[in-house]
Amino acid sequence: AEGTRGFSAMAVSPNRRYVAVAEIRSTPTISVFDLHTLKRRKVLQAASADVMSKEFVCLSFSPDSKGLLTHGGAPDWTLVYWLWEKAKVGAVSKSSNAQNAVYQVSFNPVDNTVVCVTGDGICRFLRITDQTLKPLPGAMGKREPQAYVCHAWMSEERVVVATDTGDLLLLEAGELKCALAASPADGASIDSIVAYSKGFVCGADGGVVYVFERSPVSVATTTRSSDIHAWQRYACGSRL
């Protein structure tokens, strides 16, 4: 499109009907396309009073595909919740200061009102209520802050957060429970993570892909509180 200097992020809705594309412009813009008709359905532009950045660095649709989270970049790192079908801003919040980048935002897979934000020294849960984004208690507690590069929801209560040193951290009900024993923890950043029916898949620096599956023995014999350690790791690819 005219005036676009490139694209910075993209997200597909859970119902696979829409794709949101972030365009880098003097005023950051989101175009939502209908994947059935291939036509642009809506254009979203944040007011300069809300977002100072020229780009959105990450996007996420809500579970019902009616809400959209967009996170602006530097200098203000602003999180915006949209009722995108109405092109209406539902809530705005600052996630970070100028020194700490944000890498990912996402909705709870069941609850449209709970979101997670991760970045440099940032791991936060917020609730959308009364046109505001209110921080929820918990997250990393006393753990030394580091770069939380990506995350994935395993269930309504459980989130796995990956770090720039290869650690995989399990959070439950918004609080850190443990570092998974199967974490690579080899100093190489884990840059992407996706949940699937048997566990989750991670992509790490150097082209390595890790597949984590829950141990079938542990599922049958352990309690809910202890089975968080029971993961088997498989790797493919190699670092150059």
Side-chain angles (χ1 to χ4, degrees), residues 144-166:
E144 188 70 22
Q146 64 182 115
Y148 304 114
V149 181
C150 54
H151 64 267
W153 294 83
M154 300 294 112
S155 68
E156 183 179 0
E157 293 189 343
R158 290 182 172 182
V159 178
V160 173
V161 177
T163 75
D164 61 341
T165 56

Side-chain angles (χ1 to χ4, degrees), residues 51-135:
V51 179
M52 296 172 60
S53 175
K54 305 302 182 188
E55 63 180 333
F56 289 110
V57 296
C58 46
L59 316 173
S60 179
F61 279 96
S62 61
D64 63 4
S65 300
K66 295 181 179 180
L68 182 68
L69 289 174
T70 65
H71 211 299
D76 54 331
W77 300 101
T78 301
L79 175 64
V80 182
Y81 165 63
W82 300 82
L83 301 169
W84 71 264
E85 291 173 310
K86 300 177 181 179
K88 179 182 177 181
V89 173
V92 178
S93 176
K94 305 293 184 186
S95 293
S96 172
N97 56 40
Q99 286 72 45
N100 296 85
V102 170
Y103 299 124
Q104 185 180 352
V105 295
S106 68
F107 279 93
N108 181 299
V110 177
D111 188 343
N112 285 324
T113 68
V114 175
V115 304
C116 179
V117 180
T118 50
D120 283 337
I122 301 165
C123 182
R124 304 175 66 198
F125 293 88
L126 304 101
R127 183 177 295 278
I128 303 166
T129 178
D130 298 327
Q131 297 185 326
T132 61
L133 284 153
K134 295 184 178 180

Side-chain angles (χ1 to χ4, degrees), residues 112-221:
N112 285 324
T113 68
V114 175
V115 304
C116 179
V117 180
T118 50
D120 283 337
I122 301 165
C123 182
R124 304 175 66 198
F125 293 88
L126 304 101
R127 183 177 295 278
I128 303 166
T129 178
D130 298 327
Q131 297 185 326
T132 61
L133 284 153
K134 295 184 178 180
L136 295 174
M140 291 301 175
K142 296 181 180 180
R143 181 183 174 87
E144 188 70 22
Q146 64 182 115
Y148 304 114
V149 181
C150 54
H151 64 267
W153 294 83
M154 300 294 112
S155 68
E156 183 179 0
E157 293 189 343
R158 290 182 172 182
V159 178
V160 173
V161 177
T163 75
D164 61 341
T165 56
D167 291 307
L168 292 165
L169 310 174
L170 182 74
L171 288 82
E172 187 169 341
E175 295 186 354
L176 177 64
K177 289 297 180 183
C178 67
L180 296 181
S183 299
D186 56 2
S189 178
I190 294 176
D191 300 320
S192 60
I193 178 170
V194 177
Y196 77 111
S197 58
K198 294 182 179 180
F200 57 96
V201 179
C202 296
D205 278 358
V208 177
V209 175
Y210 295 103
V211 180
F212 294 82
E213 294 184 355
R214 191 180 298 278
S215 169
V217 174
S218 66
V219 170
T221 61

Side-chain angles (χ1 to χ4, degrees), residues 7-12 19-22 30-31 56-61 68:
F7 304 96
S8 55
M10 182 177 71
V12 176
V19 59
V21 180
I30 305 292
S31 293
F56 289 110
V57 296
C58 46
L59 316 173
S60 179
F61 279 96
L68 182 68

